[in-house]
Amino acid sequence: MKKTIKLSDKVIIEIKKDIASGKLKKGEKIPAEPELMGHYAVGRSTIREAIKTLAISGILKVQQGSGTFVVSKIKDETLSQRLKRADFEEINTVRALLEKEIVKLASKHRSETDLTTMENLLQQRKKAIEEQQQKKCAEADIAFHISIAKASGNQVLSDLYENFSSVMRNFFELRDAADIKHFSNSQHLHEALFEAIKKQDPNEAEQLTINILANNY
């Protein structure tokens, strides 16, 4: 499921991308409001909100009578900072690549302790669904997938996935309570994924992960 995002946040992401790519360079004046409105297909208030946010963060500077200028490059970002300005499709594509590899490795390297952790988190996820606790369900879902990453036996891959999970947590928080049905609809797939990892079947685990991702669960 795609996240709900404010129009001004979309404009902020696009302006940051243009600065990071060099399309807008430090010291340059950005296009005037009417041009930005046409380019992003949004209203004046949305453009002003985006510019205000970027100015507060020190990326842009508004000079009365002269216009708005880029005053800071976007470079040498940490991975977490880069992920925060990525859009959902970018995140989901990399998430898919990571998760397919993680479940295969976890199927080979999981320990009994790993399995116990996964099973407990699945139970927490199920209980949260039954109680209609969307936030608790999201937390249990993320923790379940992190536990699989830790079971992969690859610390770098596990750390990388945890960085992605922090971004996915933000996406989940933007869903309203009614969207708990997306968690409910995929509970059986997550339970099947656990069983595949338990019986050390990497091919089945990968296919189940593909099914989960295909439905944006």
Side-chain angles (χ1 to χ4, degrees), residues 89-196:
E89 293 305 322
E90 290 177 322
I91 292 294
N92 219 30
T93 296
V94 180
R95 175 195 175 198
L97 293 171
L98 287 175
E99 289 199 6
K100 285 187 285 186
E101 186 62 28
I102 282 169
V103 297
K104 289 189 292 184
L105 289 172
S107 296
K108 298 175 182 178
H109 302 296
R110 92 293 182 278
S111 66
E112 290 302 317
T113 300
D114 292 326
L115 292 174
T116 299
T117 300
M118 290 179 211
E119 191 168 24
N120 288 339
L121 290 168
L122 268 183
Q123 288 301 314
Q124 291 177 31
R125 189 183 192 275
K126 183 177 181 180
K127 182 179 179 182
I129 291 170
E130 293 171 347
E131 296 176 352
Q132 293 292 295
Q133 296 289 328
Q134 193 268 354
K135 185 175 181 180
K136 287 184 179 180
C137 186
E139 291 294 337
D141 180 90
I142 290 169
F144 171 71
H145 288 286
I146 288 176
S147 72
I148 296 176
K150 290 181 177 178
S152 71
N154 186 314
Q155 188 61 54
V156 174
L157 193 58
S158 176
D159 290 345
L160 184 59
Y161 186 78
E162 283 204 61
N163 271 290
F164 272 82
S165 295
S166 67
V167 179
M168 296 308 299
R169 182 178 286 106
N170 291 335
F171 292 159
F172 285 144
E173 288 174 355
L174 291 170
R175 294 176 175 176
D176 60 36
D179 282 328
I180 198 168
K181 67 179 180 293
H182 293 281
F183 292 111
S184 179
N185 290 342
S186 69
Q187 181 67 19
H188 70 288
L189 291 174
H190 284 74
E191 290 173 355
L193 174 59
F194 166 73
E195 292 298 332

